């Protein structure tokens, strides 16, 4: 008895393989979407801790939260787009493109609107 006689219909090559199991791709896409949504909370955690009376958190490791928020805002849409592309999820690809555009706009606003004007004149 050969293995093709034992294997179920889906394993004989008659169905198109997408590279990822559909349920796994959906779970990864959902996790990356939530990860991207956590970026504002990461960014504002030091300010919230300072308002709650924990100034040491903001002074000592506040930069870590900012770096994690930046990393999250950039990496989550890129990784989500790749997973959606491999998993053949067209609507998720569009969602992650929108998330990337939003992240780019927000980061551009933070850089040009907040950080760049704080530089002294002539030190561009």
């Amino acid at each position: 008895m050969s293995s093709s006689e034992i294997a179920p219909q889906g394993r004989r090559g008659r169905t198109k393989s997408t590279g990822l199991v559909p349920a796994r791709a959906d779970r990864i896409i959902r996790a990356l979407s939530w990860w991207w949504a956590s970026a504002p909370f990461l960014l504002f955690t030091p300010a919230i801790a300072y308002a709650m009376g924990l100034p040491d958190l903001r002074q000592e490791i506040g930069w870590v939260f900012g770096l994690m928020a930046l990393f999250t805002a950039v990496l989550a849409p890129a990784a989500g787009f790749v997973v959606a592309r491999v998993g053949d999820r067209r609507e998720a690809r569009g969602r992650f493109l929108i998330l990337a555009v939003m992240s780019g706009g927000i980061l551009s606003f933070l850089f040009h609107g907040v950080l760049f004007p704080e530089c002294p004149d002539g030190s561009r």
Side-chain angles (χ1 to χ4, degrees):
M1 191 177 272
S2 68
S3 63
S4 64
E5 295 173 6
I6 299 172
Q9 284 287 352
R11 299 191 69 197
R12 288 189 196 170
R14 292 186 181 168
T15 60
K16 182 181 172 187
S17 175
T18 61
L20 277 177
V21 178
R24 179 180 290 170
D26 291 338
R27 284 193 302 266
I28 293 170
I29 288 169
R30 187 177 304 121
L32 288 170
S33 297
W34 279 106
W35 184 34
W36 181 83
S38 72
F41 297 112
L42 291 171
L43 186 62
F44 293 121
T45 297
I48 293 169
Y50 183 77
M52 292 178 61
L54 301 169
D56 295 336
L57 178 81
R58 184 176 183 182
Q59 293 171 354
E60 293 177 12
I61 60 170
W63 63 273
V64 173
F65 287 100
L67 189 62
M68 286 183 350
L70 176 66
F71 185 69
T72 297
V74 172
L75 188 64
F81 183 79
V82 170
V83 169
R85 178 101 174 151
V86 171
D88 198 28
R89 298 289 190 269
R90 187 179 178 104
E91 64 280 351
R93 278 187 296 200
R95 179 181 349 147
F96 283 110
L97 283 175
I98 291 170
L99 294 180
V101 168
M102 289 175 57
S103 291
I106 291 169
L107 292 175
S108 176
F109 169 75
L110 285 175
F111 179 73
H112 294 292
V114 177
L115 300 176
F116 194 59
E118 290 183 3
C119 294
D121 291 335
S123 65
R124 301 192 189 272

